[in-house]
C-alpha cells in the first residue's frame, strides 16, 4: 500500500466514521437524521427498548457537545494523516 493511498484511506475513514456522524449529532434536532441519531443512542444505551430519546434542552446540548468532540477527534486524525504521516512515514 503506497503512502499516498494510506493517507487518503485514513482521511476517508476519519470523515465517514467520525466527522460526518459528529456533524450529524451537532445539527441533530434540526436535521432529517434525528430519528437515526435517536436509534443510535437507544442502541448505545442497552437494552434496546426505545426508552432513551433526546427530548429536552439538556439532551440537545449534550448531544451537540458529544458531536463536537467526535468531529474534533476526526479532524485531529485528518490533520495527523495529512501533516505528520505525509512528512514522516516512520513516525
Amino acid at each position: 500500500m503506497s503512502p499516498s493511498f494510506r493517507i487518503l484511506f485514513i482521511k476517508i475513514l476519519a470523515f465517514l466514521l467520525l466527522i460526518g456522524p459528529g456533524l450529524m449529532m451537532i445539527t441533530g434536532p434540526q436535521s432529517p437524521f434525528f430519528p437515526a441519531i435517536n436509534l443510535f443512542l437507544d442502541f448505545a444505551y442497552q437494552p434496546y427498548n426505545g426508552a432513551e430519546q433526546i427530548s429536552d434542552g439538556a439532551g440537545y446540548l449534550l448531544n451537540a457537545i458529544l458531536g463536537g468532540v467526535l468531529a474534533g477527534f476526526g479532524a485531529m486524525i485528518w490533520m495527523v494523516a495529512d501533516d505528520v504521516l505525509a512528512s514522516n512515514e516512520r513516525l
Side-chain angles (χ1 to χ4, degrees), residues 2 4 6 8 15 22 35 39 41 47 51-54 69 71-72 75 78 81 85 87 89:
S2 70
S4 61
R6 187 178 306 136
L8 178 66
F15 183 79
L39 185 71
L41 289 176
E52 288 76 18
Q53 298 289 320
I54 302 171
V69 169
W78 182 290
L85 189 59
S87 65
E89 187 179 343

Side-chain angles (χ1 to χ4, degrees), residues 29-87:
Q30 292 83 21
S31 73
F33 302 112
F34 192 61
I37 294 168
N38 273 328
L39 185 71
F40 169 73
L41 289 176
D42 190 30
F43 185 72
Y45 295 108
Q46 294 293 322
Y48 185 67
N49 58 3
E52 288 76 18
Q53 298 289 320
I54 302 171
S55 60
D56 59 345
Y60 295 145
L61 178 64
L62 182 62
N63 194 37
I65 290 171
L66 292 176
V69 169
L70 190 64
F73 283 149
M76 179 190 65
I77 291 173
W78 182 290
M79 295 304 296
V80 165
D82 203 28
D83 294 337
V84 177
L85 189 59
S87 65

